[in-house]
Amino acid sequence: MDRVFNKVRNLDAYPKINEDFYSRTLSGGVITLVASIAMFLLFFSELGLYLHTVTDTKLVVDTSRGEKLHINFDITFPAVSCTLLSLDAMDISGEQHLDIRHDIIKKRIDSNGKVIEERKEGIGGPQIEKPLQRHGGRLEHNETYCGSCFGAEASDDECCNSCEEVREAYRRKGWGLTNPDLIDQCKREGFAQKIKDEEGEGCNVYGSLEVNKVAGNFHFVKSFHQSSIHIPDLLAFSEDSYNISHKINKLSFGDYYPGKVNPLDGVHWYQENPNGMYQYFLKVVPTIYTSVRGHTIQSNQFSVTEHYKSPEIGRRSLPGVFFFYDLSPIKVTFTETHISFLHFLTNVCAIVGGIFTVAGIVDSFVYHGHKALRKKMEIGKLG
């Protein structure tokens, strides 16, 4: 056993020197101190690099199919009332959604931006049908309106064209009008009164949309819908009130991930001239973000250009804010990584060993140089 230990002892690459033969110098102490400080600084620098995550970026072709595009928005219109604000979406596949109401919340705001009312009842005006004629049908083009009195007519040719005329016909019959909401004229006049009550107000709209992952657009227009057909009957109200000034508090496609930048967040546009269309053209880039722990987020980035289209003289245009989006065929993937522990350990060993070796070389050079210089000085004195 002793023979084995002796053989192992002969393999020692670090032979020990008796402390009696040590010669400590001032220069060696200074070099050791500087080398120790350098070791600590480089060690903590390497530790910071080890703890810091690095994001690798790759571009690949987007081969996904049948997915949905999630759009989040928060937009304030200081000069458009909530009743008249309508949100529509359509895409190149032919699918369209008019007067979207689900997952939408709107706030009525006054001229100072203070919230008057907040409700989750959809966005846009109610579905106002064409006026009901006396014969039971709806008012068509080039027809004269003659509203029904709902059984209270005094003669066959009597018309009730307002809610008050229906009330008067009921009074003459001795009937009570218990539910005006069931009367077509009262229902329509209630909508008009609601618009008048909200005159001068603004609207903050926020929520989300889920649309097909194809090119399309969504837009906020000042209109109401009639008979399920999108008809901007804006001429019934003041032309001067078509102010589409707006502030985009937030607009994003998909979920948030670290480092995501939405270029339209906080953008404010003030309209100087009435009417017109403000258009945003968005290029949406599918994005996958994978964290260092392996959590994956499916999202999107986008770039934007904008254009204001002034109203043309003699032509009736639809004022509003339009967002036209198109999808990029290239997908961006972000993957968080950090240096492996073995790589960190290797770098630390290289730092310690390298500095120790260099410090030894410098110390040897200083020591022998000082020794040679002192020897020359002694020879000079003897001579």
Side-chain angles (χ1 to χ4, degrees), residues 357-371:
T357 302
V358 172
I361 294 174
V362 173
D363 178 63
S364 177
F365 176 78
V366 172
Y367 175 74
H368 289 95
H370 181 264
K371 187 177 180 181

Side-chain angles (χ1 to χ4, degrees), residues 42-335:
L42 292 178
F43 170 77
F44 284 111
S45 175
E46 190 65 30
L47 180 62
L49 291 176
Y50 170 69
L51 297 177
H52 177 69
T53 57
V54 179
T55 303
D56 293 333
T57 304
K58 292 183 181 179
L59 301 178
V60 296
V61 176
D62 185 11
T63 57
S64 60
R65 295 181 298 172
E67 295 183 353
K68 293 290 186 177
L69 190 62
H70 197 74
I71 305 172
N72 306 299
F73 59 86
D74 182 354
I75 304 177
T76 300
F77 296 87
V80 181
S81 66
C82 290
T83 299
L84 286 178
L85 192 61
S86 174
L87 170 61
D88 306 326
M90 54 194 70
D91 57 48
I92 59 173
S93 67
E95 184 172 333
Q96 60 179 351
H97 302 278
L98 303 178
D99 198 21
I100 298 173
R101 295 169 177 266
H102 58 83
D103 296 328
I104 305 295
I105 298 177
K106 60 181 178 179
K107 297 179 183 178
R108 292 172 55 194
I109 58 176
D110 60 19
S111 57
N112 297 321
K114 296 182 179 180
V115 177
I116 300 174
E117 181 186 9
E118 178 178 351
R119 59 179 180 265
K120 187 178 181 180
E121 58 179 37
I123 180 175
Q127 296 287 340
I128 303 299
E129 296 182 337
K130 296 179 181 180
L132 185 65
Q133 291 281 55
R134 185 181 61 187
H135 55 68
R138 294 288 175 179
L139 178 66
E140 301 297 336
H141 294 291
N142 301 322
E143 278 190 343
T144 301
Y145 177 49
C146 180
S148 171
C149 295
F150 298 92
E153 298 89 348
S155 61
D156 292 339
D157 58 351
E158 182 179 2
C159 300
C160 295
N161 294 342
S162 68
C163 183
E164 185 59 36
E165 290 179 359
V166 176
R167 290 176 185 270
E168 179 62 25
Y170 267 61
R171 189 188 62 79
R172 289 197 306 263
K173 286 283 187 179
W175 300 347
L177 191 61
T178 58
N179 192 353
D181 292 336
L182 298 178
I183 305 301
D184 180 69
Q185 293 89 328
C186 297
K187 188 190 304 182
R188 296 176 60 81
E189 290 177 13
F191 172 69
Q193 183 61 41
K194 189 175 182 181
I195 295 175
K196 292 180 181 179
D197 292 342
E198 295 184 3
E199 187 174 358
E201 295 181 2
C203 189
N204 171 245
V205 186
Y206 64 95
S208 60
L209 294 174
E210 192 172 78
V211 297
N212 295 326
K213 197 175 179 180
V214 295
N217 76 84
F218 62 96
H219 48 266
F220 298 87
V221 292
K222 187 179 179 185
S223 64
F224 63 85
H225 296 75
Q226 190 174 46
S227 300
S228 300
I229 302 175
H230 188 254
I231 301 177
D233 194 12
L234 300 172
L235 295 180
F237 306 99
S238 174
E239 287 276 348
D240 296 334
S241 63
Y242 296 172
N243 189 328
I244 58 172
S245 298
H246 59 277
K247 179 181 180 181
I248 303 176
N249 304 306
K250 176 185 177 183
L251 179 66
S252 65
F253 291 79
D255 297 331
Y256 173 80
Y257 61 84
K260 182 177 182 179
V261 177
N262 300 312
L264 286 180
D265 286 2
V267 170
H268 180 257
W269 183 78
Y270 177 75
Q271 180 185 12
E272 297 180 355
N273 301 318
N275 301 323
M277 299 169 58
Y278 204 84
Q279 302 168 320
Y280 294 94
F281 298 92
L282 314 175
K283 194 69 172 182
V284 181
V285 182
T287 304
I288 297 179
Y289 184 89
T290 304
S291 68
V292 70
R293 297 184 178 181
H295 178 62
T296 300
I297 301 175
Q298 300 275 353
S299 187
N300 301 275
Q301 305 177 80
F302 69 92
S303 60
V304 60
T305 56
E306 50 193 275
H307 173 69
Y308 174 67
K309 184 178 180 181
S310 302
E312 299 179 13
I313 300 177
R315 296 188 62 181
R316 184 179 174 185
S317 61
L318 179 63
V321 180
F322 291 75
F323 297 87
F324 298 91
Y325 57 88
D326 194 7
L327 292 162
S328 169
I330 301 299
K331 178 186 292 184
V332 180
T333 62
F334 295 115
T335 305

Side-chain angles (χ1 to χ4, degrees), residues 340-355:
S340 67
F341 179 74
L342 290 178
H343 187 78
F344 166 71
L345 193 60
T346 302
N347 287 349
V348 170
C349 292
I351 290 172
V352 174
I355 292 181

